[in-house]
Amino acid sequence: DAKTTQPNSMESNEEEPVHLPCNHSTISGTDYIHWYRQLPSQGPEYVIHGLTSNVNNRMASLAIAEDRKSSTLILHRATLRDAAVYYCILGLTGNQFYFGTGTSLTVIP
Amino acid sequence: NAGVTQTPKFQVLKTGQSMTLQCAQDMNHNSMYWYRQDPGMGLRLIYYSASEGTTDKGEVPNGYNVSRLNKREFSLRLESAAPSQTSVYFCASSEQRNQETQYFGPGTRLLVL
């Protein structure tokens, strides 16, 4: 199973940018990098995904290293509603996602 | 659209009892999935169904059976519940299998005594 490594927890002040790192040194050439987040007592929700190039959407940006062995999820202005566990996942062929324990983000007012 | 719905929201079972967790999606997705999440852990894949009529084992299939009843519905059955199956169960769906975004339901909290 493909592994990703993320810090257990991070803190950010409200309205400041947040950079959530992820290492995935065993990534293969066809694996997409997916980010999901899970708010308390809810199911995970999609944030963003990418293959090689940096990606932007209304929720966040995804910066992918040139060698693809690491990536960073960027929340441009953290709000209290962004407090959640963020999962970095490699989307393997066949769409079998392997969730790690993720990064628990605390947003400080 | 309701997205992915799951029933029941919460259930208490005694060891050895059986039950079926129901999942339905109204997005016309081909693929559906069952995960479990233990306290403080990430989600682990139990079974998935790439398309109607097919099912495959995931990472932790022991003690579970699944049925893809039709394109909309995917059920998870515990034939003889054990305390180790106490967990939160999430159903998800995606348009296709490969690399597609998965949409998750709200979860079923199961306690086995």
PDB file of all heavy atoms in Angstrom, chain B residues 20-55:
ATOM      1  N   THR B  20     -27.453  -5.135   8.815  1.00  0.00           N
ATOM      2  CA  THR B  20     -27.068  -4.631   7.497  1.00  0.00           C
ATOM      3  C   THR B  20     -27.072  -3.117   7.517  1.00  0.00           C
ATOM      4  O   THR B  20     -28.053  -2.500   7.949  1.00  0.00           O
ATOM      5  CB  THR B  20     -28.031  -5.138   6.414  1.00  0.00           C
ATOM      6  OG1 THR B  20     -28.000  -6.565   6.378  1.00  0.00           O
ATOM      7  CG2 THR B  20     -27.638  -4.591   5.046  1.00  0.00           C
ATOM      8  N   LEU B  21     -25.966  -2.534   7.073  1.00  0.00           N
ATOM      9  CA  LEU B  21     -25.865  -1.099   6.905  1.00  0.00           C
ATOM     10  C   LEU B  21     -26.227  -0.761   5.461  1.00  0.00           C
ATOM     11  O   LEU B  21     -25.733  -1.400   4.526  1.00  0.00           O
ATOM     12  CB  LEU B  21     -24.452  -0.605   7.208  1.00  0.00           C
ATOM     13  CG  LEU B  21     -24.038  -0.469   8.677  1.00  0.00           C
ATOM     14  CD1 LEU B  21     -24.006  -1.811   9.375  1.00  0.00           C
ATOM     15  CD2 LEU B  21     -22.664   0.205   8.770  1.00  0.00           C
ATOM     16  N   GLN B  22     -27.085   0.248   5.321  1.00  0.00           N
ATOM     17  CA  GLN B  22     -27.565   0.599   3.997  1.00  0.00           C
ATOM     18  C   GLN B  22     -26.893   1.869   3.496  1.00  0.00           C
ATOM     19  O   GLN B  22     -26.612   2.786   4.262  1.00  0.00           O
ATOM     20  CB  GLN B  22     -29.083   0.814   4.021  1.00  0.00           C
ATOM     21  CG  GLN B  22     -29.890  -0.339   4.583  1.00  0.00           C
ATOM     22  CD  GLN B  22     -29.969  -1.523   3.637  1.00  0.00           C
ATOM     23  OE1 GLN B  22     -29.508  -1.464   2.493  1.00  0.00           O
ATOM     24  NE2 GLN B  22     -30.550  -2.618   4.129  1.00  0.00           N
ATOM     25  N   CYS B  23     -26.648   1.920   2.206  1.00  0.00           N
ATOM     26  CA  CYS B  23     -26.061   3.100   1.569  1.00  0.00           C
ATOM     27  C   CYS B  23     -26.721   3.299   0.212  1.00  0.00           C
ATOM     28  O   CYS B  23     -26.921   2.333  -0.530  1.00  0.00           O
ATOM     29  CB  CYS B  23     -24.560   2.923   1.396  1.00  0.00           C
ATOM     30  SG  CYS B  23     -23.772   4.236   0.445  1.00  0.00           S
ATOM     31  N   ALA B  24     -27.050   4.544  -0.098  1.00  0.00           N
ATOM     32  CA  ALA B  24     -27.619   4.853  -1.407  1.00  0.00           C
ATOM     33  C   ALA B  24     -27.053   6.176  -1.902  1.00  0.00           C
ATOM     34  O   ALA B  24     -26.770   7.072  -1.114  1.00  0.00           O
ATOM     35  CB  ALA B  24     -29.149   4.932  -1.321  1.00  0.00           C
ATOM     36  N   GLN B  25     -26.880   6.253  -3.230  1.00  0.00           N
ATOM     37  CA  GLN B  25     -26.406   7.506  -3.831  1.00  0.00           C
ATOM     38  C   GLN B  25     -27.293   7.859  -5.013  1.00  0.00           C
ATOM     39  O   GLN B  25     -27.772   6.978  -5.726  1.00  0.00           O
ATOM     40  CB  GLN B  25     -24.928   7.393  -4.251  1.00  0.00           C
ATOM     41  CG  GLN B  25     -24.580   6.196  -5.113  1.00  0.00           C
ATOM     42  CD  GLN B  25     -24.657   6.424  -6.598  1.00  0.00           C
ATOM     43  OE1 GLN B  25     -24.842   7.553  -7.068  1.00  0.00           O
ATOM     44  NE2 GLN B  25     -24.511   5.356  -7.379  1.00  0.00           N
ATOM     45  N   ASP B  26     -27.486   9.166  -5.192  1.00  0.00           N
ATOM     46  CA  ASP B  26     -28.374   9.632  -6.260  1.00  0.00           C
ATOM     47  C   ASP B  26     -27.608  10.419  -7.316  1.00  0.00           C
ATOM     48  O   ASP B  26     -28.186  11.263  -7.999  1.00  0.00           O
ATOM     49  CB  ASP B  26     -29.518  10.463  -5.677  1.00  0.00           C
ATOM     50  CG  ASP B  26     -29.039  11.716  -4.961  1.00  0.00           C
ATOM     51  OD1 ASP B  26     -27.816  11.975  -4.949  1.00  0.00           O
ATOM     52  OD2 ASP B  26     -29.890  12.431  -4.407  1.00  0.00           O
ATOM     53  N   MET B  27     -26.307  10.153  -7.443  1.00  0.00           N
ATOM     54  CA  MET B  27     -25.472  10.884  -8.392  1.00  0.00           C
ATOM     55  C   MET B  27     -25.181  10.073  -9.654  1.00  0.00           C
ATOM     56  O   MET B  27     -24.348  10.466 -10.467  1.00  0.00           O
ATOM     57  CB  MET B  27     -24.170  11.297  -7.706  1.00  0.00           C
ATOM     58  CG  MET B  27     -24.410  12.269  -6.551  1.00  0.00           C
ATOM     59  SD  MET B  27     -22.927  12.632  -5.592  1.00  0.00           S
ATOM     60  CE  MET B  27     -22.827  11.177  -4.575  1.00  0.00           C
ATOM     61  N   ASN B  28     -25.824   8.904  -9.782  1.00  0.00           N
ATOM     62  CA  ASN B  28     -25.622   8.027 -10.932  1.00  0.00           C
ATOM     63  C   ASN B  28     -24.167   7.571 -11.054  1.00  0.00           C
ATOM     64  O   ASN B  28     -23.656   7.370 -12.156  1.00  0.00           O
ATOM     65  CB  ASN B  28     -26.068   8.705 -12.242  1.00  0.00           C
ATOM     66  CG  ASN B  28     -26.361   7.703 -13.347  1.00  0.00           C
ATOM     67  OD1 ASN B  28     -26.859   6.611 -13.085  1.00  0.00           O
ATOM     68  ND2 ASN B  28     -26.038   8.055 -14.573  1.00  0.00           N
ATOM     69  N   HIS B  29     -23.523   7.402  -9.908  1.00  0.00           N
ATOM     70  CA  HIS B  29     -22.136   6.953  -9.903  1.00  0.00           C
ATOM     71  C   HIS B  29     -22.039   5.462 -10.131  1.00  0.00           C
ATOM     72  O   HIS B  29     -22.901   4.692  -9.709  1.00  0.00           O
ATOM     73  CB  HIS B  29     -21.471   7.317  -8.576  1.00  0.00           C
ATOM     74  CG  HIS B  29     -21.137   8.759  -8.447  1.00  0.00           C
ATOM     75  ND1 HIS B  29     -20.756   9.329  -7.248  1.00  0.00           N
ATOM     76  CD2 HIS B  29     -21.101   9.758  -9.372  1.00  0.00           C
ATOM     77  CE1 HIS B  29     -20.498  10.612  -7.446  1.00  0.00           C
ATOM     78  NE2 HIS B  29     -20.717  10.895  -8.725  1.00  0.00           N
ATOM     79  N   ASN B  30     -20.949   5.063 -10.786  1.00  0.00           N
ATOM     80  CA  ASN B  30     -20.738   3.642 -11.050  1.00  0.00           C
ATOM     81  C   ASN B  30     -20.106   2.913  -9.871  1.00  0.00           C
ATOM     82  O   ASN B  30     -20.395   1.750  -9.637  1.00  0.00           O
ATOM     83  CB  ASN B  30     -19.841   3.471 -12.273  1.00  0.00           C
ATOM     84  CG  ASN B  30     -20.555   3.823 -13.550  1.00  0.00           C
ATOM     85  OD1 ASN B  30     -21.585   3.255 -13.893  1.00  0.00           O
ATOM     86  ND2 ASN B  30     -20.021   4.795 -14.266  1.00  0.00           N
ATOM     87  N   SER B  31     -19.200   3.578  -9.159  1.00  0.00           N
ATOM     88  CA  SER B  31     -18.412   2.907  -8.124  1.00  0.00           C
ATOM     89  C   SER B  31     -18.872   3.311  -6.729  1.00  0.00           C
ATOM     90  O   SER B  31     -19.208   4.471  -6.488  1.00  0.00           O
ATOM     91  CB  SER B  31     -16.929   3.254  -8.287  1.00  0.00           C
ATOM     92  OG  SER B  31     -16.470   2.848  -9.555  1.00  0.00           O
ATOM     93  N   MET B  32     -18.861   2.318  -5.833  1.00  0.00           N
ATOM     94  CA  MET B  32     -19.242   2.574  -4.444  1.00  0.00           C
ATOM     95  C   MET B  32     -18.292   1.847  -3.523  1.00  0.00           C
ATOM     96  O   MET B  32     -17.667   0.847  -3.904  1.00  0.00           O
ATOM     97  CB  MET B  32     -20.699   2.153  -4.195  1.00  0.00           C
ATOM     98  CG  MET B  32     -21.692   2.946  -5.037  1.00  0.00           C
ATOM     99  SD  MET B  32     -23.416   2.589  -4.676  1.00  0.00           S
ATOM    100  CE  MET B  32     -23.622   3.404  -3.082  1.00  0.00           C
ATOM    101  N   TYR B  33     -18.174   2.361  -2.274  1.00  0.00           N
ATOM    102  CA  TYR B  33     -17.144   1.896  -1.337  1.00  0.00           C
ATOM    103  C   TYR B  33     -17.694   1.866   0.093  1.00  0.00           C
ATOM    104  O   TYR B  33     -18.553   2.670   0.444  1.00  0.00           O
ATOM    105  CB  TYR B  33     -15.942   2.864  -1.346  1.00  0.00           C
ATOM    106  CG  TYR B  33     -15.463   3.255  -2.712  1.00  0.00           C
ATOM    107  CD1 TYR B  33     -16.091   4.267  -3.434  1.00  0.00           C
ATOM    108  CD2 TYR B  33     -14.377   2.619  -3.304  1.00  0.00           C
ATOM    109  CE1 TYR B  33     -15.662   4.633  -4.699  1.00  0.00           C
ATOM    110  CE2 TYR B  33     -13.930   2.979  -4.564  1.00  0.00           C
ATOM    111  CZ  TYR B  33     -14.584   3.988  -5.254  1.00  0.00           C
ATOM    112  OH  TYR B  33     -14.153   4.340  -6.506  1.00  0.00           O
ATOM    113  N   TRP B  34     -17.159   0.936   0.881  1.00  0.00           N
ATOM    114  CA  TRP B  34     -17.406   0.934   2.319  1.00  0.00           C
ATOM    115  C   TRP B  34     -16.067   1.038   3.044  1.00  0.00           C
ATOM    116  O   TRP B  34     -15.126   0.274   2.767  1.00  0.00           O
ATOM    117  CB  TRP B  34     -18.102  -0.347   2.765  1.00  0.00           C
ATOM    118  CG  TRP B  34     -19.586  -0.300   2.612  1.00  0.00           C
ATOM    119  CD1 TRP B  34     -20.351  -0.931   1.683  1.00  0.00           C
ATOM    120  CD2 TRP B  34     -20.496   0.416   3.449  1.00  0.00           C
ATOM    121  NE1 TRP B  34     -21.675  -0.633   1.868  1.00  0.00           N
ATOM    122  CE2 TRP B  34     -21.792   0.188   2.951  1.00  0.00           C
ATOM    123  CE3 TRP B  34     -20.351   1.236   4.577  1.00  0.00           C
ATOM    124  CZ2 TRP B  34     -22.930   0.742   3.531  1.00  0.00           C
ATOM    125  CZ3 TRP B  34     -21.479   1.780   5.149  1.00  0.00           C
ATOM    126  CH2 TRP B  34     -22.761   1.525   4.629  1.00  0.00           C
ATOM    127  N   TYR B  35     -15.992   1.994   4.000  1.00  0.00           N
ATOM    128  CA  TYR B  35     -14.817   2.189   4.840  1.00  0.00           C
ATOM    129  C   TYR B  35     -15.238   2.062   6.308  1.00  0.00           C
ATOM    130  O   TYR B  35     -16.391   2.291   6.656  1.00  0.00           O
ATOM    131  CB  TYR B  35     -14.249   3.610   4.662  1.00  0.00           C
ATOM    132  CG  TYR B  35     -13.643   3.927   3.323  1.00  0.00           C
ATOM    133  CD1 TYR B  35     -14.432   4.406   2.280  1.00  0.00           C
ATOM    134  CD2 TYR B  35     -12.275   3.804   3.104  1.00  0.00           C
ATOM    135  CE1 TYR B  35     -13.877   4.747   1.054  1.00  0.00           C
ATOM    136  CE2 TYR B  35     -11.705   4.147   1.890  1.00  0.00           C
ATOM    137  CZ  TYR B  35     -12.522   4.608   0.872  1.00  0.00           C
ATOM    138  OH  TYR B  35     -11.958   4.944  -0.334  1.00  0.00           O
ATOM    139  N   ARG B  36     -14.254   1.788   7.145  1.00  0.00           N
ATOM    140  CA  ARG B  36     -14.444   1.909   8.581  1.00  0.00           C
ATOM    141  C   ARG B  36     -13.391   2.843   9.152  1.00  0.00           C
ATOM    142  O   ARG B  36     -12.268   2.929   8.615  1.00  0.00           O
ATOM    143  CB  ARG B  36     -14.405   0.554   9.284  1.00  0.00           C
ATOM    144  CG  ARG B  36     -13.113  -0.197   9.187  1.00  0.00           C
ATOM    145  CD  ARG B  36     -13.149  -1.484  10.001  1.00  0.00           C
ATOM    146  NE  ARG B  36     -13.043  -1.221  11.439  1.00  0.00           N
ATOM    147  CZ  ARG B  36     -13.167  -2.159  12.378  1.00  0.00           C
ATOM    148  NH1 ARG B  36     -13.394  -3.423  12.041  1.00  0.00           N
ATOM    149  NH2 ARG B  36     -13.050  -1.853  13.663  1.00  0.00           N
ATOM    150  N   GLN B  37     -13.759   3.557  10.208  1.00  0.00           N
ATOM    151  CA  GLN B  37     -12.833   4.473  10.860  1.00  0.00           C
ATOM    152  C   GLN B  37     -12.881   4.227  12.355  1.00  0.00           C
ATOM    153  O   GLN B  37     -13.893   4.456  13.009  1.00  0.00           O
ATOM    154  CB  GLN B  37     -13.181   5.936  10.565  1.00  0.00           C
ATOM    155  CG  GLN B  37     -12.171   6.912  11.138  1.00  0.00           C
ATOM    156  CD  GLN B  37     -12.427   8.343  10.716  1.00  0.00           C
ATOM    157  OE1 GLN B  37     -13.558   8.752  10.536  1.00  0.00           O
ATOM    158  NE2 GLN B  37     -11.360   9.113  10.540  1.00  0.00           N
ATOM    159  N   ASP B  38     -11.764   3.764  12.889  1.00  0.00           N
ATOM    160  CA  ASP B  38     -11.636   3.542  14.314  1.00  0.00           C
ATOM    161  C   ASP B  38     -11.154   4.824  14.983  1.00  0.00           C
ATOM    162  O   ASP B  38     -10.537   5.677  14.321  1.00  0.00           O
ATOM    163  CB  ASP B  38     -10.688   2.383  14.590  1.00  0.00           C
ATOM    164  CG  ASP B  38     -11.202   1.090  13.975  1.00  0.00           C
ATOM    165  OD1 ASP B  38     -12.434   0.911  13.918  1.00  0.00           O
ATOM    166  OD2 ASP B  38     -10.378   0.279  13.525  1.00  0.00           O
ATOM    167  N   PRO B  39     -11.387   4.987  16.282  1.00  0.00           N
ATOM    168  CA  PRO B  39     -11.032   6.250  16.960  1.00  0.00           C
ATOM    169  C   PRO B  39      -9.583   6.659  16.730  1.00  0.00           C
ATOM    170  O   PRO B  39      -8.673   5.850  16.908  1.00  0.00           O
ATOM    171  CB  PRO B  39     -11.304   5.919  18.427  1.00  0.00           C
ATOM    172  CG  PRO B  39     -12.357   4.872  18.397  1.00  0.00           C
ATOM    173  CD  PRO B  39     -12.068   4.040  17.176  1.00  0.00           C
ATOM    174  N   GLY B  40      -9.389   7.899  16.319  1.00  0.00           N
ATOM    175  CA  GLY B  40      -8.053   8.439  16.125  1.00  0.00           C
ATOM    176  C   GLY B  40      -7.318   7.910  14.905  1.00  0.00           C
ATOM    177  O   GLY B  40      -6.122   8.164  14.749  1.00  0.00           O
ATOM    178  N   MET B  41      -8.027   7.193  14.061  1.00  0.00           N
ATOM    179  CA  MET B  41      -7.392   6.578  12.897  1.00  0.00           C
ATOM    180  C   MET B  41      -7.966   7.139  11.607  1.00  0.00           C
ATOM    181  O   MET B  41      -9.024   7.770  11.592  1.00  0.00           O
ATOM    182  CB  MET B  41      -7.625   5.059  12.919  1.00  0.00           C
ATOM    183  CG  MET B  41      -7.202   4.382  14.195  1.00  0.00           C
ATOM    184  SD  MET B  41      -5.410   4.321  14.318  1.00  0.00           S
ATOM    185  CE  MET B  41      -5.029   3.083  13.085  1.00  0.00           C
ATOM    186  N   GLY B  42      -7.256   6.858  10.520  1.00  0.00           N
ATOM    187  CA  GLY B  42      -7.798   7.188   9.214  1.00  0.00           C
ATOM    188  C   GLY B  42      -8.785   6.117   8.773  1.00  0.00           C
ATOM    189  O   GLY B  42      -9.024   5.135   9.467  1.00  0.00           O
ATOM    190  N   LEU B  43      -9.366   6.309   7.602  1.00  0.00           N
ATOM    191  CA  LEU B  43     -10.343   5.357   7.087  1.00  0.00           C
ATOM    192  C   LEU B  43      -9.634   4.158   6.449  1.00  0.00           C
ATOM    193  O   LEU B  43      -8.581   4.315   5.824  1.00  0.00           O
ATOM    194  CB  LEU B  43     -11.227   6.021   6.032  1.00  0.00           C
ATOM    195  CG  LEU B  43     -12.353   6.905   6.545  1.00  0.00           C
ATOM    196  CD1 LEU B  43     -11.843   8.195   7.140  1.00  0.00           C
ATOM    197  CD2 LEU B  43     -13.355   7.185   5.424  1.00  0.00           C
ATOM    198  N   ARG B  44     -10.228   2.993   6.585  1.00  0.00           N
ATOM    199  CA  ARG B  44      -9.711   1.793   5.934  1.00  0.00           C
ATOM    200  C   ARG B  44     -10.802   1.184   5.060  1.00  0.00           C
ATOM    201  O   ARG B  44     -11.954   1.051   5.491  1.00  0.00           O
ATOM    202  CB  ARG B  44      -9.225   0.777   6.976  1.00  0.00           C
ATOM    203  CG  ARG B  44      -7.976   1.232   7.727  1.00  0.00           C
ATOM    204  CD  ARG B  44      -7.479   0.155   8.678  1.00  0.00           C
ATOM    205  NE  ARG B  44      -8.408  -0.058   9.782  1.00  0.00           N
ATOM    206  CZ  ARG B  44      -8.317  -1.055  10.654  1.00  0.00           C
ATOM    207  NH1 ARG B  44      -7.351  -1.956  10.531  1.00  0.00           N
ATOM    208  NH2 ARG B  44      -9.196  -1.169  11.633  1.00  0.00           N
ATOM    209  N   LEU B  45     -10.426   0.783   3.860  1.00  0.00           N
ATOM    210  CA  LEU B  45     -11.377   0.272   2.890  1.00  0.00           C
ATOM    211  C   LEU B  45     -11.761  -1.171   3.217  1.00  0.00           C
ATOM    212  O   LEU B  45     -10.885  -2.032   3.382  1.00  0.00           O
ATOM    213  CB  LEU B  45     -10.777   0.353   1.484  1.00  0.00           C
ATOM    214  CG  LEU B  45     -11.667  -0.078   0.332  1.00  0.00           C
ATOM    215  CD1 LEU B  45     -12.856   0.861   0.186  1.00  0.00           C
ATOM    216  CD2 LEU B  45     -10.865  -0.114  -0.968  1.00  0.00           C
ATOM    217  N   ILE B  46     -13.061  -1.429   3.300  1.00  0.00           N
ATOM    218  CA  ILE B  46     -13.548  -2.777   3.600  1.00  0.00           C
ATOM    219  C   ILE B  46     -13.839  -3.540   2.304  1.00  0.00           C
ATOM    220  O   ILE B  46     -13.283  -4.600   2.039  1.00  0.00           O
ATOM    221  CB  ILE B  46     -14.828  -2.719   4.459  1.00  0.00           C
ATOM    222  CG1 ILE B  46     -14.593  -1.901   5.729  1.00  0.00           C
ATOM    223  CG2 ILE B  46     -15.298  -4.127   4.824  1.00  0.00           C
ATOM    224  CD1 ILE B  46     -15.874  -1.622   6.509  1.00  0.00           C
ATOM    225  N   TYR B  47     -14.723  -2.994   1.507  1.00  0.00           N
ATOM    226  CA  TYR B  47     -15.105  -3.553   0.212  1.00  0.00           C
ATOM    227  C   TYR B  47     -15.394  -2.396  -0.735  1.00  0.00           C
ATOM    228  O   TYR B  47     -15.726  -1.298  -0.309  1.00  0.00           O
ATOM    229  CB  TYR B  47     -16.378  -4.404   0.320  1.00  0.00           C
ATOM    230  CG  TYR B  47     -16.175  -5.859   0.624  1.00  0.00           C
ATOM    231  CD1 TYR B  47     -16.212  -6.311   1.945  1.00  0.00           C
ATOM    232  CD2 TYR B  47     -15.967  -6.789  -0.384  1.00  0.00           C
ATOM    233  CE1 TYR B  47     -16.045  -7.663   2.240  1.00  0.00           C
ATOM    234  CE2 TYR B  47     -15.799  -8.141  -0.099  1.00  0.00           C
ATOM    235  CZ  TYR B  47     -15.844  -8.569   1.221  1.00  0.00           C
ATOM    236  OH  TYR B  47     -15.681  -9.902   1.509  1.00  0.00           O
ATOM    237  N   TYR B  48     -15.312  -2.698  -2.016  1.00  0.00           N
ATOM    238  CA  TYR B  48     -15.742  -1.724  -2.993  1.00  0.00           C
ATOM    239  C   TYR B  48     -16.435  -2.430  -4.152  1.00  0.00           C
ATOM    240  O   TYR B  48     -16.299  -3.652  -4.323  1.00  0.00           O
ATOM    241  CB  TYR B  48     -14.591  -0.856  -3.487  1.00  0.00           C
ATOM    242  CG  TYR B  48     -13.508  -1.584  -4.251  1.00  0.00           C
ATOM    243  CD1 TYR B  48     -13.490  -1.608  -5.641  1.00  0.00           C
ATOM    244  CD2 TYR B  48     -12.470  -2.228  -3.576  1.00  0.00           C
ATOM    245  CE1 TYR B  48     -12.496  -2.260  -6.338  1.00  0.00           C
ATOM    246  CE2 TYR B  48     -11.475  -2.883  -4.268  1.00  0.00           C
ATOM    247  CZ  TYR B  48     -11.485  -2.900  -5.641  1.00  0.00           C
ATOM    248  OH  TYR B  48     -10.499  -3.552  -6.331  1.00  0.00           O
ATOM    249  N   SER B  49     -17.185  -1.641  -4.893  1.00  0.00           N
ATOM    250  CA  SER B  49     -17.891  -2.147  -6.066  1.00  0.00           C
ATOM    251  C   SER B  49     -17.587  -1.199  -7.222  1.00  0.00           C
ATOM    252  O   SER B  49     -18.013  -0.056  -7.218  1.00  0.00           O
ATOM    253  CB  SER B  49     -19.394  -2.186  -5.802  1.00  0.00           C
ATOM    254  OG  SER B  49     -20.105  -2.463  -6.992  1.00  0.00           O
ATOM    255  N   ALA B  50     -16.815  -1.689  -8.174  1.00  0.00           N
ATOM    256  CA  ALA B  50     -16.404  -0.828  -9.282  1.00  0.00           C
ATOM    257  C   ALA B  50     -17.583  -0.486 -10.184  1.00  0.00           C
ATOM    258  O   ALA B  50     -17.616   0.596 -10.779  1.00  0.00           O
ATOM    259  CB  ALA B  50     -15.310  -1.507 -10.096  1.00  0.00           C
ATOM    260  N   SER B  51     -18.516  -1.408 -10.301  1.00  0.00           N
ATOM    261  CA  SER B  51     -19.701  -1.176 -11.128  1.00  0.00           C
ATOM    262  C   SER B  51     -20.792  -2.119 -10.647  1.00  0.00           C
ATOM    263  O   SER B  51     -20.540  -3.060  -9.889  1.00  0.00           O
ATOM    264  CB  SER B  51     -19.392  -1.414 -12.606  1.00  0.00           C
ATOM    265  OG  SER B  51     -18.959  -2.739 -12.801  1.00  0.00           O
ATOM    266  N   GLU B  52     -22.002  -1.873 -11.111  1.00  0.00           N
ATOM    267  CA  GLU B  52     -23.127  -2.715 -10.731  1.00  0.00           C
ATOM    268  C   GLU B  52     -22.833  -4.168 -11.068  1.00  0.00           C
ATOM    269  O   GLU B  52     -22.373  -4.478 -12.165  1.00  0.00           O
ATOM    270  CB  GLU B  52     -24.374  -2.238 -11.478  1.00  0.00           C
ATOM    271  CG  GLU B  52     -25.656  -2.890 -11.041  1.00  0.00           C
ATOM    272  CD  GLU B  52     -26.857  -2.327 -11.782  1.00  0.00           C
ATOM    273  OE1 GLU B  52     -26.697  -1.325 -12.522  1.00  0.00           O
ATOM    274  OE2 GLU B  52     -27.951  -2.881 -11.629  1.00  0.00           O
ATOM    275  N   GLY B  53     -23.030  -5.028 -10.097  1.00  0.00           N
ATOM    276  CA  GLY B  53     -22.813  -6.440 -10.328  1.00  0.00           C
ATOM    277  C   GLY B  53     -21.441  -6.954  -9.945  1.00  0.00           C
ATOM    278  O   GLY B  53     -21.178  -8.155 -10.023  1.00  0.00           O
ATOM    279  N   THR B  54     -20.546  -6.054  -9.542  1.00  0.00           N
ATOM    280  CA  THR B  54     -19.203  -6.493  -9.148  1.00  0.00           C
ATOM    281  C   THR B  54     -18.869  -5.977  -7.760  1.00  0.00           C
ATOM    282  O   THR B  54     -19.263  -4.871  -7.377  1.00  0.00           O
ATOM    283  CB  THR B  54     -18.125  -5.977 -10.119  1.00  0.00           C
ATOM    284  OG1 THR B  54     -18.017  -4.554  -9.989  1.00  0.00           O
ATOM    285  CG2 THR B  54     -18.454  -6.337 -11.553  1.00  0.00           C
ATOM    286  N   THR B  55     -18.148  -6.791  -6.996  1.00  0.00           N
ATOM    287  CA  THR B  55     -17.636  -6.369  -5.694  1.00  0.00           C
ATOM    288  C   THR B  55     -16.248  -6.948  -5.504  1.00  0.00           C
ATOM    289  O   THR B  55     -15.939  -8.029  -6.042  1.00  0.00           O
ATOM    290  CB  THR B  55     -18.534  -6.828  -4.531  1.00  0.00           C
ATOM    291  OG1 THR B  55     -18.598  -8.252  -4.515  1.00  0.00           O
ATOM    292  CG2 THR B  55     -19.942  -6.259  -4.640  1.00  0.00           C
TER     293      THR B  55
END
